[in-house]
Amino acid sequence: MQPGGGAWVESPLRQGILPCHLPLQGRECHSNPHRMSANMPELERRRAAALLGGGQARIDAQHAKGKLTARERLDVLLDAGSFVEQDMFVEHNCTDFGMAEQRVPGDGVVTGSGTINGRLVFVYAQDFTVFGGALSERHAQKICKVMDMALKVGAPIIGLNDSGGARIQEGVASLGGYAEVFQRNALASGVVPQLSLVMGPCAGGAVYSPAITDFIFMVEDSSYMFVTGPEVVKTVTNESVTQEELGGALTHSTRTGVADLAFANDIEALLAARDFITLLPSSNRAGVPELPCDDPFDRMEPGLDTLVPANANQPYDMHELVRKILDHGDFFEIAPAHGANIICGFGRVEGRTVGVVANQPMVLAGVLDIDASRKAARFVRFCDAFEIPLVTLVDVPGFLPGTAQEHGGIIKHGAKLLYAYAEATVPKITLITRKAYGGAYDVMASKHLRGDLNLAWPTAEIAVMGARGAVEIIFRADRGDAEKIAAKTAEYETRFANPFVAASMGFIDDVIMPRDTRRRIALGLRMLRGKRLANPWKKHDNMPL
Ligand code: HXC
């Protein structure tokens, strides 16, 4: 209820049409229904105060760091004029440490809804100019309100994080607020896409909200994420490390994989977020978005016939194939700098979004290791949760050997990818371009993991291992006899270094010419549009974590 009860007459839509017996307390209704409410200037004053956040000096300081303010960020992120703000007048309820005198309408976070390329999204943007964007109980309530609404109506949630963490003056009330957000992050997972843009500090327990969301974008030199900062690290472990080294955008988008992408500045990150959200379904029930497509589904690509080099050990760039399959070659890659031996990302075929997973022979020969397995497993699960068909391109020599991998738990991490593909019920199309060796053959969306359409190029080699390695094991006693080993290697190659053995068993549905790949995948996706497949009932699974 608005102060003074005169709010009813404020809406231009209602002016002059409200019957006077409605519970209006404002005397002006009876005397002159067109008179301005005294609250109108007050509304303007309050709005202006909210728009100014922590004040011009702090806005200038934000700009001096190369950062946009929360509202400027939303202006870039959302379609022009589409932002509908809510809770602009919410204030904190803290009276300790002189806080009663320090109230800023909005309380350090701007929340509401808007559209991106015409589609509804819910947003919250922490305002660093107000108490350093620190999270109070009320600040958290505002975030929770938009998250609840996003879940009710089925639209993505985008959080712009720029915060000094828990509002120190509020103590445990703030911690409770964080947990309320975490709880909603968990409930929203797999229901609506959640994207975090970390555009400033994000430290301590605060990191766990972005960590639960589906994707994290960061901004170089102005954002960082860590559980404990450099000073605590120095005290506890005596290590000296900068914020950037410990948890900057480059660290997280390369080493740790916590962030999916790093951008040079706020604008680049926000514009990328627009493209990204446009690719995603609004919810797990909405189906993939469909755009008009003028790229012919049967576009032939003769260049692909020579993509795979004659020498099996020579790499080639799998991106080339990815782009030739997708509409207009547009590919939005996720985590390109982490676990780069596997490529994951989104594109469209005939205007409809697909998720692409592809081994990359250019990096570590496309082998599966811990980073690649985890990265791809999470990607596959996202696609499955949101009904995005999976296109898997295979050229994999196996799992990476070594103590670092074994002791790092490659068994559990590799199992994640296997599990993700095995449980996925979305359309799954797999194409083997060259190597599909050993367990990695099974893992990469093979027929045995309910692959719907499993194709191979004539250059495919589907075997337990490479010919040379196989012969050296089978004919160990003849290792010194180079001639015999060479002959046996040739024999093994003839027998297994092709797709036809697997095709004769029905493990490969067809062997296709490389130039024809886009057409065959497009036709496969068309065929699979009506796919319905359900896993056995369970409360939830217990995937290897
Ligand atoms: C209240 C805060 C605040 C906080 C910053 N401010 N962090 N107010 N609670 N957590 C205020 C500052 O007092 C200052 O107010 C303004 O925000 C900007 O802060 P500066 O320090 O001037 O900015 P900068 O130099 O850029 O440094 C940013 C910062 C630093 C690195 C984030 O402010 C900082 O270290 N803050 C404390 C971080 C922290 O320890 N947070 C609690 C972590 S524990 P004025 O009025 O001067 O503009 C946590 C637990 C979460 O978060 C658990 C969840 C489960």
Side-chain angles (χ1 to χ4, degrees):
M1 179 62 71
Q2 302 259 344
W8 290 100
V9 292
E10 289 181 11
S11 164
L13 288 174
R14 290 202 169 105
Q15 275 183 5
I17 57 167
L18 275 181
C20 284
H21 63 266
L22 280 177
L24 297 174
Q25 291 160 21
R27 291 178 305 273
E28 60 276 22
C29 177
H30 296 278
S31 53
N32 178 0
H34 301 293
R35 216 177 97 189
M36 263 182 46
S37 159
N39 278 343
M40 284 186 179
E42 176 61 8
L43 170 63
E44 290 310 314
R45 192 193 66 74
R46 286 178 185 238
R47 276 209 178 125
L51 294 178
L52 204 55
Q56 195 57 48
R58 291 189 181 90
I59 292 174
D60 293 344
Q62 179 87 343
H63 289 161
K65 289 182 203 157
K67 293 160 69 178
L68 299 178
T69 65
R71 287 173 193 284
E72 289 165 345
R73 286 169 176 162
L74 291 176
D75 274 351
V76 179
L77 178 69
L78 300 172
D79 294 341
S82 72
F83 181 49
V84 181
E85 184 167 351
Q86 65 183 44
D87 285 341
M88 184 188 238
F89 306 118
V90 163
E91 295 177 350
H92 68 72
N93 55 354
C94 177
T95 51
D96 294 318
F97 304 104
M99 288 296 277
E101 294 77 49
Q102 298 181 59
R103 293 186 197 276
V104 179
D107 203 28
V109 63
V110 183
T111 59
S113 60
T115 59
I116 291 181
N117 290 322
R119 281 177 43 221
L120 180 68
V121 295
F122 287 84
V123 289
Y124 69 88
Q126 292 180 310
D127 182 352
F128 191 81
T129 71
V130 179
F131 307 115
L135 184 137
S136 68
E137 185 180 14
R138 291 272 166 85
H139 174 130
Q141 282 170 3
K142 286 183 62 174
I143 295 175
C144 291
K145 199 193 261 189
V146 284
M147 294 180 81
D148 290 341
M149 187 59 83
L151 267 178
K152 271 190 264 184
V153 305
I157 301 165
I158 306 173
L160 313 186
N161 296 264
D162 188 357
S163 168
R167 181 87 52 90
I168 294 167
Q169 296 90 335
E170 290 201 12
V172 71
S174 165
L175 300 185
Y178 267 118
E180 296 283 345
V181 176
F182 300 158
Q183 175 67 64
R184 283 163 178 79
N185 285 133
L187 293 179
S189 182
V191 182
V192 294
Q194 299 183 81
L195 170 63
S196 299
L197 275 73
V198 180
M199 314 187 90
C202 182
V207 296
Y208 288 113
S209 172
I212 301 173
T213 64
D214 298 303
F215 299 98
I216 300 179
F217 294 179
M218 291 181 77
V219 180
E220 287 164 22
D221 301 322
S222 62
S223 68
Y224 49 86
M225 297 176 74
F226 35 68
V227 175
T228 49
E231 284 162 30
V232 178
V233 169
K234 178 76 188 160
T235 313
V236 177
T237 68
N238 204 27
E239 291 168 289
S240 297
V241 63
T242 64
Q243 280 183 351
E244 193 61 29
E245 285 164 357
L246 188 61
L250 289 179
T251 297
H252 283 314
S253 59
T254 55
R255 281 178 84 111
T256 70
V258 165
D260 296 286
L261 287 163
F263 295 91
N265 54 52
D266 285 10
I267 305 244
E268 279 190 17
L270 292 159
L271 293 179
R274 284 179 60 83
D275 290 344
F276 184 58
I277 286 289
T278 306
L279 281 158
L280 303 185
S282 292
S283 74
N284 58 350
R285 292 177 186 273
V288 292
E290 187 165 357
L291 294 186
C293 173
D294 56 8
D295 192 355
F297 82 96
D298 56 356
R299 172 168 39 79
M300 288 290 135
E301 291 290 350
L304 289 180
D305 291 350
T306 50
L307 180 67
V308 173
N311 177 349
N313 295 323
Q314 204 177 318
Y316 60 95
D317 188 358
M318 189 64 98
H319 285 108
E320 212 172 304
L321 172 57
V322 172
R323 292 190 185 280
K324 295 232 156 100
I325 291 170
L326 298 175
D327 294 350
H328 302 291
D330 289 338
F331 182 51
F332 195 105
E333 188 168 353
I334 296 298
H338 174 77
N341 33 328
I342 204 156
I343 299 169
C344 297
F346 299 100
R348 295 185 179 88
V349 176
E350 293 198 271
R352 295 166 64 88
T353 301
V354 295
V356 177
V357 180
N359 308 115
Q360 169 59 296
M362 297 275 278
V363 180
L364 294 172
V367 77
L368 287 177
D369 61 359
I370 292 171
D371 288 348
S373 301
R374 283 175 43 219
K375 168 176 144 180
R378 190 153 165 77
F379 182 79
V380 167
R381 296 196 94 221
F382 177 85
C383 290
D384 189 48
F386 290 97
E387 301 292 353
I388 301 171
L390 282 162
V391 175
T392 303
L393 308 175
V394 183
D395 187 347
V396 63
F399 281 94
L400 182 63
T403 51
Q405 291 291 309
E406 296 292 348
H407 295 171
I410 183 68
I411 294 174
K412 269 271 158 72
H413 298 296
K416 290 175 186 172
L417 182 54
L418 170 63
Y419 194 102
Y421 270 125
E423 71 172 345
T425 56
V426 285
K428 293 189 278 198
I429 298 182
T430 306
L431 168 72
I432 301 174
T433 59
R434 187 167 62 177
K435 297 170 196 165
Y437 291 167
Y441 155 74
D442 278 341
V443 169
M444 295 300 296
S446 63
K447 188 52 100 189
H448 326 281
L449 301 185
R450 302 187 294 181
D452 295 299
L453 179 60
N454 292 71
L455 303 170
W457 282 358
T459 43
E461 304 168 20
I462 304 164
V464 175
M465 57 173 65
R468 179 84 195 190
V471 167
E472 283 185 352
I473 292 173
I474 306 172
F475 301 99
R476 185 167 291 168
D478 300 317
R479 262 187 179 170
D481 185 344
E483 214 170 289
K484 185 165 184 188
I485 292 290
K488 289 290 176 196
T489 302
E491 190 185 333
Y492 194 91
E493 269 170 10
T494 314
R495 176 80 181 96
F496 290 116
N498 63 63
F500 301 113
V501 179
S504 74
M505 297 170 172
F507 298 167
I508 293 294
D509 298 301
D510 200 2
V511 182
I512 64 168
M513 281 300 285
R515 65 176 63 205
D516 200 18
T517 302
R518 173 173 159 87
R519 186 181 72 92
R520 293 301 301 267
I521 288 178
L523 289 177
L525 289 165
R526 274 190 207 174
M527 173 188 79
L528 290 165
R529 262 189 214 178
K531 179 181 176 185
R532 294 281 175 274
L533 180 62
N535 292 331
W537 185 91
K538 53 183 97 171
K539 183 176 175 193
H540 60 70
D541 57 39
N542 185 20
M543 76 172 296
L545 292 173

